[in-house]
């Protein structure tokens, strides 16, 4: 690695596939030492992906290194960089800078039941958590996945639901705000689904990712349901330009999401979450 | 790349105190100072306060005659020397599917004359971010290493100065390499660091045992009258004139077909789009929320994030007060905040 931490690794797009409406999965094989660096990436970490000539943006790493040598990112087409990334095809070169940030302490979670709550594309950084638990199934208790989106066509990783459902002691609960005619699961917000599902707080850890307002209300409800703050984990996103604790942009109070996070437990950020909205 | 720890504390190894390494002193005349600066300007890049269309700024000068004769402090701080408004981080060459990245680092030796103690302190505060907290910023580190600061103690304080209220002083030599104090008929020069000592001409100057007597002048800060506000900036420019604001954006620019550069540019947290995220949501949308964040950053978040202890990240230079078109005065805000806490 260069002395310049802003310099990305080069990576080759080996697969692009539609995950949901305007959301693409980019599968990147890293070159010049990048593969080595990402082989030790942990669930919850993130990286910057460059569309050369347009810029770079941060994305949660969407797979565990145990699931293959390539690195997955779920990219929603929203701004100029993400639009540029959507226009790329297999064989195109991108830049990848990372892995960055902290991660979910999966070792600490051993022996506990997990409740994983994903809202929209916020499910992407939770996928490595699910993969890790499924790959080490005996180490963890019950796995309850609550998966939500605004519309059915915005649900991510739909083609993996069968694998999740088939795993021992694992359940998947789906909800959307606005169903279509074919929709046969729950309707409403993830908080309503959480109340209906009513997982038990005893010996449990919760992991939430989604839009700020979803995180805010979900963690409030979890606290009410008796999940202790030190076992309620969130992964936050904020606009950031370096990921190294320098550019100043991603602060949440005195914390920097890029280096103090993106993974926090509610004990650490509970009071600050209102400024995140 | 250095890894963060899982949900733990970041490593912090920052000290705001740098010991004064040297204490050799000389007395020099105005003429000797000019000759010395002319020599420096001939050999390398010399930046000094210079009049640019009625505004004093640190700019390259060809000789000592170009230096502004009287100045309180330049409108922009010395931070731009180490952390330029725009820095190229690398260039990108695209040919077909092939991409090559080419790194470029700044390679120039610079001497800055006329650095006020508040700005020198500002540079040391930026050191806490770019040098003393991992990872070290390669660009800042090179520029800092290749720059020698010649300080000039303040004889008078400007109308918005309040350095003494935030732990600084008009004759604080701790952040510069050489310190000059104005005396009757010339200057008392002190080598503060080895780098500074290296720049002082061997036998030409007369060594002295005289010590600089600390100035008794406290903060003479007064709230300027409304017609003293220059008011030439937009509402987010306090961050640009601040010696310790360091927020930046990273973006690509096109140089030629297939040729791009990745730039890092100054940014201001007071801008409405500063926190805008993909999808259009804008946290801290209200101006008051941004204002609150900026003051909290300066006096709480920054010191907390980079291990400054009780010190604040404000140097008391008063520039933000001077340029604010709507009269926001950090000293008044602090008094208000203290009353409310």
């Amino acid at each position: 690695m260069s002395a310049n931490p802003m310099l990305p690794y080069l990576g080759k797009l080996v697969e692009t596939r539609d995950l949901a409406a305007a959301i693409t999965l980019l599968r990147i094989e890293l070159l010049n030492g990048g593969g080595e660096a990402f082989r030790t990436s942990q669930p919850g970490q993130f990286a910057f992906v460059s569309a050369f000539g347009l810029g770079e943006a941060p994305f949660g790493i969407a797979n565990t290194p145990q699931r293959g040598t390539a690195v997955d990112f779920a990219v929603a087409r929203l701004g100029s960089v993400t639009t540029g990334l959507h226009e790329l095809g297999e064989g195109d070169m991108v830049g990848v800078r990372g892995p960055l940030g902290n991660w979910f302490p999966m070792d600490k979670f051993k022996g506990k039941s997990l409740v994983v709550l994903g809202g929209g594309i916020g499910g992407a950084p939770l996928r490595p958590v699910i993969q890790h638990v499924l790959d080490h199934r005996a180490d963890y208790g019950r796995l309850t996945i609550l998966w939500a989106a605004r519309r059915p066509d915005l649900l991510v990783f739909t083609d993996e639901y069968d694998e999740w459902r088939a795993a021992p002691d694992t359940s998947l609960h789906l909800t959307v705000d606005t169903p279509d005619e074919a929709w046969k699961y729950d309707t409403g917000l993830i908080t309503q689904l959480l109340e209906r599902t009513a997982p038990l707080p005893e010996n449990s850890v919760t992991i939430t990712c989604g839009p700020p307002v979803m995180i805010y209300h979900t963690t409030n409800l979890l606290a009410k349901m008796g999940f202790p703050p030190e076992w309620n984990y969130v992964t936050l996103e904020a606009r950031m330009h370096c990921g190294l604790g320098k550019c100043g942009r991603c602060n949440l109070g005195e914390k920097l999401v890029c280096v103090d996070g993106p993974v926090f437990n509610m004990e650490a950020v509970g009071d600050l979450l209102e400024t995140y909205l | 790349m250095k890894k963060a720890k899982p949900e733990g504390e970041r490593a912090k190894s920052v000290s705001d105190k740098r010991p004064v390494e040297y204490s050799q002193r000389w007395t020099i005349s105005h003429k000797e100072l000019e000759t010395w600066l002319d020599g420096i300007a001939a050999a390398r890049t010399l930046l000094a306060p210079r009049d640019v269309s009625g505004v004093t700024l640190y700019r390259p000068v060809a000789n000592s005659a170009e230096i502004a004769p009287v100045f309180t402090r330049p409108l922009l701080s010395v931070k731009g020397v180490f952390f330029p408004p725009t820095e190229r981080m690398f260039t990108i060459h695209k040919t077909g599917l092939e991409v090559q990245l080419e790194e470029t680092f700044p390679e120039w030796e610079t001497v800055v004359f006329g650095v006020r103690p508040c700005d020198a302190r500002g540079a040391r505060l930026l050191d806490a971010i770019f040098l003393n907290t991992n990872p070290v910023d390669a660009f800042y580190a090179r520029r800092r290493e290749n720059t020698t600061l010649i300080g000039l103690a303040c004889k008078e304080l400007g109308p918005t100065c309040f350095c003494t209220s935030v732990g600084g002083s008009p004759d604080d030599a701790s952040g510069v390499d050489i310190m000059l104090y104005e005396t009757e008929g010339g200057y008392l020069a002190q080598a503060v660091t080895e780098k500074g000592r290296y720049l002082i001409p061997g036998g030409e100057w007369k060594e002295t045992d005289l010590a600089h007597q600390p100035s008794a002048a406290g903060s003479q800060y007064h709230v300027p009258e409304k017609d003293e506000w220059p008011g030439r900036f937009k509402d987010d420019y306090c961050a640009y004139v601040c010696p310790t604001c360091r927020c930046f954006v990273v973006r690509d620019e096109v140089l030629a077909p297939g040729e791009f550069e990745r730039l890092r540019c100054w940014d201001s947290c007071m801008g409405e789009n500063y926190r805008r995220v993909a999808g259009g949501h804008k946290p801290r949308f209200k101006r008051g929320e941004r204002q609150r964040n900026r003051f909290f950053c300066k006096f709480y978040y920054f010191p907390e994030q980079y291990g400054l202890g009780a010190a604040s990240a404000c140097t008391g230079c008063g520039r933000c007060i001077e340029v604010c078109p709507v009269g926001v005065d950090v000293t008044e805000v602090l008094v208000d905040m203290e009353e409310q806490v």
Side-chain angles (χ1 to χ4, degrees):
Chain A
M1 189 68 195
S2 149
N4 175 8
M6 293 297 285
L7 192 76
Y9 297 112
L10 291 179
K12 195 184 277 278
L13 268 180
V14 290
E15 189 188 333
T16 67
R17 118 178 114 84
D18 288 340
L19 275 186
I23 300 177
T24 287
L25 182 85
L26 301 183
R27 182 158 287 173
I28 300 165
E29 201 76 62
L30 290 157
L31 310 171
N32 60 14
E36 196 62 44
F38 276 81
R39 198 155 301 147
T40 55
S41 83
Q42 302 285 334
Q45 286 197 291
F46 67 99
F48 280 79
V49 181
S50 288
F52 288 122
L54 292 166
E56 59 176 6
F59 301 95
I61 298 169
N63 64 336
T64 64
Q66 288 73 31
R67 290 282 182 123
T69 55
V71 185
D72 289 352
F73 297 99
V75 178
R77 190 178 62 227
L78 289 163
S80 57
V81 172
T82 51
T83 301
L85 289 172
H86 269 240
E87 283 164 5
L88 299 177
E90 281 161 32
D92 275 329
M93 296 285 255
V94 294
V96 182
R97 196 157 65 75
L100 298 165
N102 68 355
W103 52 86
F104 294 106
M106 297 307 294
D107 282 345
K108 213 170 129 185
F109 296 169
K110 279 183 183 168
K112 290 191 166 288
S113 291
L114 274 83
V115 184
V116 174
L117 304 110
I121 198 173
L126 302 180
R127 183 175 173 242
V129 173
I130 296 169
Q131 289 179 341
H132 182 92
V133 174
L134 297 189
D135 292 347
H136 304 81
R137 196 65 199 86
D139 290 346
Y140 300 92
R142 180 157 188 76
L143 172 63
T144 310
I145 303 168
L146 279 70
W147 221 237
R150 277 178 289 137
R151 301 190 312 262
D153 65 341
L154 289 171
L155 282 166
V156 291
F157 304 115
T158 47
D159 55 346
E160 294 170 29
Y161 293 170
D162 286 344
E163 182 205 342
W164 301 354
R165 286 189 182 111
D169 210 10
T170 302
S171 61
L172 172 68
H173 306 270
L174 301 172
T175 188
V176 293
D177 298 355
T178 318
D180 58 16
E181 281 160 15
W183 184 251
K184 49 183 194 232
Y185 304 100
D186 274 288
T187 300
L189 300 172
I190 196 166
T191 43
Q192 295 166 305
L193 182 66
L194 178 58
E195 280 178 323
R196 273 199 293 277
T197 316
L200 297 173
E202 282 72 37
N203 197 32
S204 287
V205 51
T206 74
I207 299 178
T208 307
C209 185
V213 69
M214 172 262 185
I215 292 182
Y216 181 73
H217 291 291
T218 306
T219 50
N220 277 347
L221 178 59
L222 286 166
K224 260 187 229 146
M225 291 170 74
F227 289 90
E230 69 268 31
W231 290 108
N232 283 336
Y233 280 78
V234 294
T235 171
L236 304 179
E237 65 161 26
R239 182 153 181 187
M240 48 178 82
H241 281 252
C242 70
L244 306 166
K246 310 289 184 199
C247 81
R249 195 174 290 266
C250 65
N251 80 303
L252 182 69
E254 73 278 15
K255 301 209 168 13
L256 292 168
V257 171
C258 65
V259 288
D260 296 322
V263 173
F264 296 97
N265 70 36
M266 288 305 290
E267 197 173 41
V269 293
D271 297 342
L272 298 169
L273 218 52
E274 259 177 69
T275 67
Y276 178 63
L277 297 176
Chain B
M1 204 162 290
K2 188 155 168 68
K3 267 193 180 159
K5 293 180 202 146
E7 50 140 5
E9 283 297 297
R10 277 180 289 142
K12 282 165 189 163
S13 57
V14 181
S15 166
D16 189 41
K17 297 271 175 281
R18 186 176 63 161
V20 173
E21 296 165 28
Y22 280 74
S23 54
Q24 257 182 308
R25 290 182 294 272
W26 297 263
T27 47
I28 56 172
S29 66
H30 288 288
K31 184 72 207 152
E32 278 173 317
L33 178 75
E34 284 168 19
T35 310
W36 180 49
L37 292 176
D38 286 340
I40 293 170
R44 46 186 124 186
T45 308
L46 175 66
L47 303 181
R50 214 181 88 187
D51 184 85
V52 182
S53 310
V55 176
T56 310
L57 296 168
Y58 290 111
R59 283 288 180 269
V61 292
N63 54 57
S64 59
E66 289 183 6
I67 299 172
V70 181
F71 64 98
T72 48
R73 42 152 176 64
L75 184 64
L76 293 175
S77 83
V78 78
K79 88 172 166 187
V81 178
F82 316 117
F83 174 50
T86 299
E87 179 99 83
R88 175 188 286 183
M89 320 217 66
F90 54 88
T91 50
I92 301 158
H93 311 276
K94 264 169 101 169
T95 330
L97 287 180
E98 291 303 306
V99 173
Q100 279 192 315
L101 306 181
E102 190 189 338
E103 289 187 87
T104 47
F105 287 107
E107 299 286 356
W108 55 314
E109 267 197 62
T110 312
V111 177
V112 190
F113 167 75
V115 177
R116 294 303 192 184
C118 54
D119 278 2
R121 187 175 146 82
R124 289 181 58 208
L125 287 162
L126 289 181
D127 289 352
I129 298 179
F130 291 113
L131 291 183
N132 302 344
T133 304
N134 279 327
V136 171
D137 185 88
F139 299 90
Y140 183 91
R142 295 223 182 187
R143 291 187 186 275
R144 195 82 167 93
E145 182 60 34
N146 293 339
T147 304
T148 309
L149 299 181
I150 304 173
L152 189 56
C154 304
K155 239 166 86 177
E156 288 172 12
L157 297 178
T160 59
C161 293
F162 61 101
C163 64
T164 51
S165 308
V166 286
S169 81
D171 49 13
D172 173 17
S174 60
V176 296
D177 298 300
I178 296 171
M179 192 61 167
L180 301 176
Y181 306 93
E182 285 187 60
T183 57
E184 302 249 333
Y187 297 88
L188 179 71
Q190 183 186 351
V192 182
T193 66
E194 195 179 340
K195 198 154 71 172
R197 177 67 190 84
Y198 178 74
L199 204 63
I200 285 171
E204 292 172 35
W205 288 2
K206 199 175 91 197
E207 260 198 86
T208 178
D209 289 336
L210 281 177
H212 163 68
Q213 295 303 311
S215 144
S219 182
Q220 295 167 18
Y221 174 74
H222 74 272
V223 178
E225 297 299 320
K226 272 288 164 238
D227 56 8
E228 285 182 77
W229 307 108
R232 56 171 86 84
F233 293 117
K234 290 198 303 171
D235 63 346
D236 58 355
Y237 270 52
C238 41
Y240 298 104
V241 299
C242 177
T244 67
C245 274
R246 60 48 163 95
C247 283
F248 58 81
V249 297
V250 175
R251 53 156 48 107
D252 287 4
E253 293 291 336
V254 181
L255 296 170
E259 302 279 312
F260 312 93
E261 58 181 346
R262 180 151 298 167
L263 302 175
R264 152 169 101 187
C265 313
W266 284 3
D267 198 4
S268 169
C269 62
M270 293 302 294
E272 184 182 298
N273 288 321
Y274 176 78
R275 278 288 280 243
R276 186 176 58 84
V277 291
H281 178 57
K282 292 177 187 176
R284 285 206 300 261
F285 179 67
K286 290 185 197 140
R287 187 170 291 179
E289 291 169 342
R290 300 200 294 274
Q291 191 77 257
R292 175 187 189 279
N293 185 71
R294 183 164 188 278
F295 287 122
F296 268 68
C297 177
K298 205 59 61 191
F299 294 94
Y300 174 47
Y301 302 158
F302 182 134
E304 187 71 16
Q305 284 157 358
Y306 302 102
L308 299 184
S312 80
C314 175
T315 69
C317 73
R319 288 183 176 95
C320 57
I321 306 171
E322 189 179 312
V323 300
C324 186
V326 291
V328 174
D329 181 335
V330 56
T331 62
E332 289 176 5
V333 173
L334 283 178
V335 171
D336 284 353
M337 270 160 64
E338 203 167 81
E339 281 170 2
Q340 283 172 33
V341 172

